[in-house]
Amino acid sequence: MTNPRPDTRSTRWTWIAAIWCAGALFESSQTILVMHAIGSRRSWLAPFVVEFVSWLPWALATPFIVELARRRPIVRGALLKAATAHLAAFAVISTVAEAWAAMLRVVFNPWHHSQPPSFANTWYASLTDQILTFVIAYALISTVTYVVDSRKNIERQMTETARLNEELSRAQLAALRGQMDPHFMFNTLNSVVGLVRDQRNDAAVGMIVGLSEFLRRASEDSHRTQVTLAEEVEYLQRYIDIQKVRFGDRLRVSLDIPTELGNAQVPNLLLQPLVENAIKHGVSKRIAGGEIRVAGEQHDGTLRLTVYNDGPWVREDLEATSCGVGLGNLRTRLLILHGDRSELVLRPVDTGGVEVVVTLPFLVT
């Protein structure tokens, strides 16, 4: 267990001194006001100083009370031991504090008694008079300690949860890349082979270059759980360029994402899997190919992204898609990053076709 840093200890003692000085000042001022109220003409300086300094033992004992409250919290299962420890500590501190106060009153006689009372009588009278105040002071120190520590524990747990969520999101991203890369590479290389056989060397070279740029970008951003929408669209465009070489005129894609949304934060690899599913289930299965539309809009603090394809609604295929690794992974990542503020919906369109709608908070860099 590491010791607290010196600056932490200094700050703690500063707060303790400030709080007890405020309490002692209030108590001393109250004593002087009572003296004036009853018409006493005696000097107020000695009573003020004695009352003020009388609280010194409690100030010095505060760190001990705080440490005891942390080591012996009053919780179920250890209630008896904790209560015994706190009662013993309270008894010792109260006894010492009032012995100190009684000594000050006997030595300095601040109220100018012609025959000062004995130490024992002063101590007993002062202790019985202040016992309720001491109970409140001890309980207040313990309660503040519990509240502060509980808040720190909550903040620590939130930080740890955020860290674990980020790691889980990265793991989900890695799983998505692992699911995407094999069949994407297989299809792309097969397309390159077909282009070479057809002696379309320029197209083959272009496809290889596009694949190289796509994989380079994927490698560079592999550690980032979120990117800007502009970066995600650029990444998607590289993927589309490769697929256009493969499908030719059968694949028609339109992007309608306003430039003012470019700085919005979105999960890395958000759009590419959605377009990939649209190609797989909407374009590749039809000889005539099909159309894919990607759109984005911002409304009332939310970002809404839509991927539409004009293929038919085939329940078996689309249910498999919605529960598959790609969209299932993406749903989990959205839940980790934004909780119930995000949503992913796969649905048929009344005019024909299928769309995936992703809704998430509009957050900018």
Side-chain angles (χ1 to χ4, degrees), residues 48 103-104 113 121 236 285:
F48 181 89
M103 184 200 69
L104 292 175
H113 295 295
N121 290 336
L236 174 64
K285 293 187 175 183

Side-chain angles (χ1 to χ4, degrees), residues 94-103 105-106 117-132 134:
S94 299
T95 301
V96 172
E98 278 314 299
W100 166 257
M103 184 200 69
R105 291 185 177 94
V106 171
S118 65
F119 174 83
N121 290 336
T122 303
W123 173 81
Y124 179 77
S126 180
L127 182 60
T128 54
D129 184 55
Q130 295 280 14
I131 189 67
L132 181 59
F134 290 168

Side-chain angles (χ1 to χ4, degrees), residues 108-122:
F108 295 99
N109 191 17
W111 285 276
H112 306 286
H113 295 295
S114 57
Q115 186 175 357
S118 65
F119 174 83
N121 290 336
T122 303

